[in-house]
């Protein structure tokens, strides 16, 4: 199994802040990395696929980068709607999610 | 508009077999590159990937749950997941999702169904 480690596990930030969440794979996964946003009580929503491709309809303030073992999700200017939990997912081998990063309002 | 909806029992007893149905619309599992994935989430915990079935009947399972899971295409718009020997630790919200073979990403999700395992 390829394990995914997200950091931080939780994060407090303010509206307008630039925020970066990191995901590290236990071995190289090329660019087989997706990012999801989940709000309490709702199903996850795909934000980024293949490490850096923005899913249709997702605001451009979200971006993804990285390859190999280290990946980042960046929100350029936090909006009130962005406070949620974020998960990375590797699909290089049997898919596996990270443990999640909870983004809270400061 | 692609939609998916999970259905099945809300309560199962330990050792019983869980059968969940994902009913979907506006796509076909016979279209190249299309798959349906099952994911679960215990209350307050992270997402856990369970299984996927692709258009070509390629099926993949979580290694840790492989012996307990079966995924099938039950009809032209339904995918069924069975999980044997249910335990209280299997209590979770179970989701099905439309999945792209190339990226493995799931771009449409059902609302989820909460399954509680208790005697």
């Amino acid at each position: 199994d390829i394990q995914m480690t997200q950091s931080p596990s939780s994060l407090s930030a303010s509206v307008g802040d630039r925020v970066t969440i990191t995901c590290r794979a236990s071995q190289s996964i090329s660019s087989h990395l997706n990012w999801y946003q989940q709000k309490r009580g709702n199903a996850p929503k795909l934000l980024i696929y293949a490490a850096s491709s923005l899913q249709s309809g997702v605001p451009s303030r979200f971006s993804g980068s990285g390859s190999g073992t280290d990946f980042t999700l960046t929100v350029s200017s936090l909006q009130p709607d962005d406070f949620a939990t974020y998960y990375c997912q590797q699909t290089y081998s049997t898919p596996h999610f990270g443990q999640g990063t909870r983004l809270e309002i400061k | 508009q692609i939609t998916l909806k999970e259905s099945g029992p809300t309560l199962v007893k330990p050792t019983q077999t869980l059968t969940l149905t994902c009913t979907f619309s506006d796509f076909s599992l016979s279209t190249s590159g299309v798959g349906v994935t099952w994911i679960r989430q215990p209350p307050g915990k992270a997402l856990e990937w369970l299984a996927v079935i692709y258009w070509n009947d390629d099926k993949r399972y979580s290694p840790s749950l492989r012996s307990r899971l079966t995924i099938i295409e039950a009809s032209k718009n339904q995918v069924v997941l069975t999980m044997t020997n249910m335990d209280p630790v299997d209590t979770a919200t179970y989701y099905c999702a439309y999945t792209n073979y190339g990226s493995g990403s799931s771009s449409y999700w059902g609302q989820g169904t909460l399954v509680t395992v208790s005697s």
Side-chain angles (χ1 to χ4, degrees), chain A residues 31-36 46-56, chain B residues 100 103-106:
Chain A
S31 296
H32 296 267
L33 193 283
N34 307 310
W35 289 98
Y36 298 86
L46 178 65
L47 299 176
I48 302 286
Y49 63 94
S52 59
S53 295
L54 190 68
Q55 174 67 8
S56 176
Chain B
N100 175 274
S103 65
S105 61
S106 297

Side-chain angles (χ1 to χ4, degrees), chain B residues 6-13 16 18-20 86 90-94 112-118:
Chain B
E6 307 86 354
S7 60
T10 57
L11 179 65
V12 298
K13 290 180 168 40
Q16 286 186 336
L18 171 68
T19 299
L20 292 172
M86 293 292 284
D90 297 313
T91 294
T93 296
Y94 287 76
T113 185
L114 176 61
V115 178
T116 300
V117 184
S118 174

Side-chain angles (χ1 to χ4, degrees), chain A residues 1 34 36 38 42-44 46 49 55 87 89 91 94-95 97-99, chain B residues 39 41 45-49 61-63 95 103-107 109-110:
Chain A
D1 270 9
N34 307 310
Y36 298 86
Q38 186 180 32
N42 291 323
L46 178 65
Y49 63 94
Q55 174 67 8
Y87 293 94
Q89 178 202 34
T91 55
T94 304
F97 290 94
Q99 80 277 20
Chain B
I39 302 105
Q41 186 172 39
K45 295 189 177 181
L47 301 167
E48 180 180 15
W49 187 92
Y61 297 95
S62 165
Y95 296 99
S103 65
S105 61
S106 297
S107 50
W109 294 60

